[in-house]
Amino acid sequence: MSDCIFCQIIAGDIPSTKVYEDDEFLAFEDVSPEAPVHTLIVPKKHYHSLNDDIPADVLGRLYKLVPYVAELKGVHDSGYRTVANTGDDANQTVHHLHVHIIGGKQLSEHSS
Ligand code: 5GP
Ligand code: ZN
């Protein structure tokens, strides 16, 4: 989608700091990190959110990447939080499915 920020990052039209890339997924640093580690993983194919009709195998491969990217970022063993904001009440601001990996410090007990 040409008006989607993350599609433009995937296309290389908007610069990003890449953490991991393969044919299907890209991980890159969040531009406004909330913690020492704040990395986003996105499928290269545009899905709006978890509410979209996403094949289970795509979701499986996406979430299998989470601990791998956490390892690359050095928080695999110390711990991290994964967040997939969905819709208005969750304040989803970019409507391209993405998983936040947040860590590198002691996080608050709850994320509400
Ligand atoms: P959401 O609130 O939709 O779950 O999260 C969107 C995230 O994308 C936010 O944490 C925001 O900082 C990040 N973001 C928005 N625009 C850009 C951008 O142009 N580049 C990067 N690297 N991150 C972005
Ligand atoms: Zn997109």
Side-chain angles (χ1 to χ4, degrees), residues 1-10 42-48 94-97:
M1 288 179 72
S2 57
D3 59 345
C4 169
I5 291 173
F6 288 176
C7 281
Q8 291 174 54
I9 286 175
I10 290 158
V42 301
K44 289 185 172 178
K45 182 171 163 55
H46 182 96
Y47 300 99
H48 277 78
V94 178
H95 296 274
H96 180 127
L97 176 65

mmCIF file of all heavy atoms in Angstrom, residues 1-10 42-48 94-97, ligand 2:
data_model
loop_
_atom_site.group_PDB
_atom_site.id
_atom_site.type_symbol
_atom_site.label_atom_id
_atom_site.label_comp_id
_atom_site.label_asym_id
_atom_site.label_seq_id
_atom_site.Cartn_x
_atom_site.Cartn_y
_atom_site.Cartn_z
ATOM 1 N N MET A 1 0.860 -1.203 0.000
ATOM 2 C CA MET A 1 0.000 0.000 0.000
ATOM 3 C C MET A 1 0.883 1.236 0.000
ATOM 4 O O MET A 1 1.709 1.415 0.886
ATOM 5 C CB MET A 1 -0.890 0.010 1.244
ATOM 6 C CG MET A 1 -1.988 -1.024 1.209
ATOM 7 S SD MET A 1 -2.972 -0.966 2.715
ATOM 8 C CE MET A 1 -3.866 0.571 2.458
ATOM 9 N N SER A 2 0.700 2.096 -0.975
ATOM 10 C CA SER A 2 1.636 3.200 -1.170
ATOM 11 C C SER A 2 1.555 4.239 -0.061
ATOM 12 O O SER A 2 2.520 4.958 0.191
ATOM 13 C CB SER A 2 1.389 3.855 -2.517
ATOM 14 O OG SER A 2 0.053 4.280 -2.591
ATOM 15 N N ASP A 3 0.403 4.340 0.627
ATOM 16 C CA ASP A 3 0.290 5.345 1.684
ATOM 17 C C ASP A 3 0.618 4.787 3.066
ATOM 18 O O ASP A 3 0.396 5.454 4.073
ATOM 19 C CB ASP A 3 -1.113 5.959 1.690
ATOM 20 C CG ASP A 3 -2.196 4.917 1.902
ATOM 21 O OD1 ASP A 3 -1.912 3.711 1.756
ATOM 22 O OD2 ASP A 3 -3.328 5.316 2.215
ATOM 23 N N CYS A 4 1.156 3.589 3.117
ATOM 24 C CA CYS A 4 1.484 2.947 4.399
ATOM 25 C C CYS A 4 2.968 3.168 4.708
ATOM 26 O O CYS A 4 3.835 2.802 3.909
ATOM 27 C CB CYS A 4 1.154 1.451 4.317
ATOM 28 S SG CYS A 4 1.801 0.501 5.701
ATOM 29 N N ILE A 5 3.232 3.743 5.880
ATOM 30 C CA ILE A 5 4.617 4.044 6.273
ATOM 31 C C ILE A 5 5.476 2.781 6.272
ATOM 32 O O ILE A 5 6.618 2.792 5.795
ATOM 33 C CB ILE A 5 4.637 4.691 7.670
ATOM 34 C CG1 ILE A 5 4.030 6.092 7.625
ATOM 35 C CG2 ILE A 5 6.050 4.758 8.227
ATOM 36 C CD1 ILE A 5 3.871 6.713 9.003
ATOM 37 N N PHE A 6 4.947 1.699 6.831
ATOM 38 C CA PHE A 6 5.771 0.492 6.926
ATOM 39 C C PHE A 6 5.993 -0.147 5.554
ATOM 40 O O PHE A 6 7.067 -0.702 5.293
ATOM 41 C CB PHE A 6 5.179 -0.498 7.923
ATOM 42 C CG PHE A 6 5.332 -0.066 9.371
ATOM 43 C CD1 PHE A 6 4.770 -0.815 10.401
ATOM 44 C CD2 PHE A 6 6.045 1.080 9.706
ATOM 45 C CE1 PHE A 6 4.914 -0.419 11.722
ATOM 46 C CE2 PHE A 6 6.192 1.484 11.029
ATOM 47 C CZ PHE A 6 5.620 0.729 12.044
ATOM 48 N N CYS A 7 5.008 -0.061 4.658
ATOM 49 C CA CYS A 7 5.244 -0.541 3.294
ATOM 50 C C CYS A 7 6.354 0.285 2.632
ATOM 51 O O CYS A 7 7.175 -0.258 1.883
ATOM 52 C CB CYS A 7 3.961 -0.477 2.463
ATOM 53 S SG CYS A 7 2.810 -1.846 2.767
ATOM 54 N N GLN A 8 6.398 1.570 2.935
ATOM 55 C CA GLN A 8 7.452 2.426 2.369
ATOM 56 C C GLN A 8 8.810 2.094 2.971
ATOM 57 O O GLN A 8 9.832 2.144 2.277
ATOM 58 C CB GLN A 8 7.099 3.902 2.587
ATOM 59 C CG GLN A 8 5.890 4.346 1.754
ATOM 60 C CD GLN A 8 5.449 5.761 2.079
ATOM 61 O OE1 GLN A 8 6.226 6.693 2.034
ATOM 62 N NE2 GLN A 8 4.174 5.912 2.432
ATOM 63 N N ILE A 9 8.832 1.735 4.241
ATOM 64 C CA ILE A 9 10.092 1.284 4.863
ATOM 65 C C ILE A 9 10.542 -0.022 4.213
ATOM 66 O O ILE A 9 11.720 -0.196 3.872
ATOM 67 C CB ILE A 9 9.911 1.135 6.391
ATOM 68 C CG1 ILE A 9 9.856 2.533 7.027
ATOM 69 C CG2 ILE A 9 11.025 0.293 6.997
ATOM 70 C CD1 ILE A 9 9.566 2.540 8.518
ATOM 71 N N ILE A 10 9.612 -0.946 4.032
ATOM 72 C CA ILE A 10 9.926 -2.242 3.420
ATOM 73 C C ILE A 10 10.469 -2.036 2.000
ATOM 74 O O ILE A 10 11.423 -2.695 1.584
ATOM 75 C CB ILE A 10 8.666 -3.143 3.420
ATOM 76 C CG1 ILE A 10 8.339 -3.571 4.857
ATOM 77 C CG2 ILE A 10 8.854 -4.361 2.520
ATOM 78 C CD1 ILE A 10 6.892 -3.994 5.054
ATOM 79 N N VAL A 42 7.740 -6.802 11.132
ATOM 80 C CA VAL A 42 6.575 -6.678 10.246
ATOM 81 C C VAL A 42 6.662 -7.730 9.136
ATOM 82 O O VAL A 42 7.750 -8.036 8.651
ATOM 83 C CB VAL A 42 6.502 -5.277 9.599
ATOM 84 C CG1 VAL A 42 6.407 -4.206 10.660
ATOM 85 C CG2 VAL A 42 7.671 -5.006 8.676
ATOM 86 N N PRO A 43 5.511 -8.249 8.728
ATOM 87 C CA PRO A 43 5.503 -9.019 7.486
ATOM 88 C C PRO A 43 5.641 -8.050 6.311
ATOM 89 O O PRO A 43 5.131 -6.931 6.373
ATOM 90 C CB PRO A 43 4.128 -9.705 7.479
ATOM 91 C CG PRO A 43 3.279 -8.904 8.398
ATOM 92 C CD PRO A 43 4.174 -8.157 9.342
ATOM 93 N N LYS A 44 6.318 -8.460 5.270
ATOM 94 C CA LYS A 44 6.463 -7.575 4.109
ATOM 95 C C LYS A 44 5.133 -7.406 3.370
ATOM 96 O O LYS A 44 4.892 -6.369 2.767
ATOM 97 C CB LYS A 44 7.553 -8.111 3.175
ATOM 98 C CG LYS A 44 8.946 -7.959 3.778
ATOM 99 C CD LYS A 44 10.038 -8.363 2.810
ATOM 100 C CE LYS A 44 11.408 -8.009 3.385
ATOM 101 N NZ LYS A 44 12.510 -8.420 2.494
ATOM 102 N N LYS A 45 4.300 -8.419 3.446
ATOM 103 C CA LYS A 45 2.952 -8.292 2.862
ATOM 104 C C LYS A 45 2.101 -7.457 3.804
ATOM 105 O O LYS A 45 2.196 -7.600 5.022
ATOM 106 C CB LYS A 45 2.348 -9.690 2.674
ATOM 107 C CG LYS A 45 0.980 -9.716 2.039
ATOM 108 C CD LYS A 45 0.615 -11.170 1.717
ATOM 109 C CE LYS A 45 -0.875 -11.373 1.473
ATOM 110 N NZ LYS A 45 -1.481 -10.544 0.469
ATOM 111 N N HIS A 46 1.321 -6.555 3.259
ATOM 112 C CA HIS A 46 0.523 -5.652 4.087
ATOM 113 C C HIS A 46 -0.702 -6.352 4.669
ATOM 114 O O HIS A 46 -1.567 -6.805 3.921
ATOM 115 C CB HIS A 46 0.078 -4.433 3.271
ATOM 116 C CG HIS A 46 -0.701 -3.440 4.085
ATOM 117 N ND1 HIS A 46 -0.126 -2.336 4.659
ATOM 118 C CD2 HIS A 46 -2.002 -3.430 4.465
ATOM 119 C CE1 HIS A 46 -1.032 -1.677 5.340
ATOM 120 N NE2 HIS A 46 -2.185 -2.314 5.231
ATOM 121 N N TYR A 47 -0.744 -6.424 6.000
ATOM 122 C CA TYR A 47 -1.970 -6.770 6.728
ATOM 123 C C TYR A 47 -2.250 -5.609 7.665
ATOM 124 O O TYR A 47 -1.317 -5.054 8.263
ATOM 125 C CB TYR A 47 -1.792 -8.053 7.555
ATOM 126 C CG TYR A 47 -1.438 -9.280 6.748
ATOM 127 C CD1 TYR A 47 -0.121 -9.710 6.666
ATOM 128 C CD2 TYR A 47 -2.423 -10.010 6.093
ATOM 129 C CE1 TYR A 47 0.213 -10.843 5.931
ATOM 130 C CE2 TYR A 47 -2.098 -11.142 5.354
ATOM 131 C CZ TYR A 47 -0.780 -11.555 5.285
ATOM 132 O OH TYR A 47 -0.465 -12.666 4.552
ATOM 133 N N HIS A 48 -3.512 -5.257 7.844
ATOM 134 C CA HIS A 48 -3.841 -4.094 8.670
ATOM 135 C C HIS A 48 -3.485 -4.310 10.136
ATOM 136 O O HIS A 48 -2.963 -3.422 10.799
ATOM 137 C CB HIS A 48 -5.336 -3.776 8.561
ATOM 138 C CG HIS A 48 -5.691 -2.975 7.362
ATOM 139 N ND1 HIS A 48 -5.789 -3.519 6.104
ATOM 140 C CD2 HIS A 48 -5.944 -1.651 7.214
ATOM 141 C CE1 HIS A 48 -6.100 -2.564 5.239
ATOM 142 N NE2 HIS A 48 -6.196 -1.429 5.890
ATOM 143 N N VAL A 94 -0.015 2.796 13.312
ATOM 144 C CA VAL A 94 0.399 2.374 11.975
ATOM 145 C C VAL A 94 -0.385 1.112 11.636
ATOM 146 O O VAL A 94 -0.268 0.092 12.336
ATOM 147 C CB VAL A 94 1.916 2.116 11.893
ATOM 148 C CG1 VAL A 94 2.296 1.630 10.500
ATOM 149 C CG2 VAL A 94 2.700 3.377 12.251
ATOM 150 N N HIS A 95 -1.179 1.204 10.581
ATOM 151 C CA HIS A 95 -2.118 0.121 10.288
ATOM 152 C C HIS A 95 -1.503 -0.871 9.298
ATOM 153 O O HIS A 95 -2.071 -1.156 8.236
ATOM 154 C CB HIS A 95 -3.458 0.711 9.834
ATOM 155 C CG HIS A 95 -4.097 1.506 10.935
ATOM 156 N ND1 HIS A 95 -4.900 0.937 11.903
ATOM 157 C CD2 HIS A 95 -3.974 2.811 11.279
ATOM 158 C CE1 HIS A 95 -5.266 1.860 12.770
ATOM 159 N NE2 HIS A 95 -4.719 3.002 12.413
ATOM 160 N N HIS A 96 -0.334 -1.341 9.700
ATOM 161 C CA HIS A 96 0.364 -2.446 9.034
ATOM 162 C C HIS A 96 0.803 -3.348 10.188
ATOM 163 O O HIS A 96 1.541 -2.885 11.081
ATOM 164 C CB HIS A 96 1.562 -1.900 8.241
ATOM 165 C CG HIS A 96 2.366 -2.930 7.516
ATOM 166 N ND1 HIS A 96 2.649 -2.845 6.155
ATOM 167 C CD2 HIS A 96 2.970 -4.068 7.944
ATOM 168 C CE1 HIS A 96 3.388 -3.873 5.796
ATOM 169 N NE2 HIS A 96 3.605 -4.628 6.871
ATOM 170 N N LEU A 97 0.340 -4.584 10.166
ATOM 171 C CA LEU A 97 0.618 -5.501 11.282
ATOM 172 C C LEU A 97 2.076 -5.430 11.714
ATOM 173 O O LEU A 97 2.987 -5.520 10.888
ATOM 174 C CB LEU A 97 0.287 -6.935 10.842
ATOM 175 C CG LEU A 97 0.618 -8.037 11.856
ATOM 176 C CD1 LEU A 97 -0.227 -7.915 13.105
ATOM 177 C CD2 LEU A 97 0.450 -9.407 11.211
HETATM 178 ZN ZN ZN B 2 1.777 -1.568 4.794
#
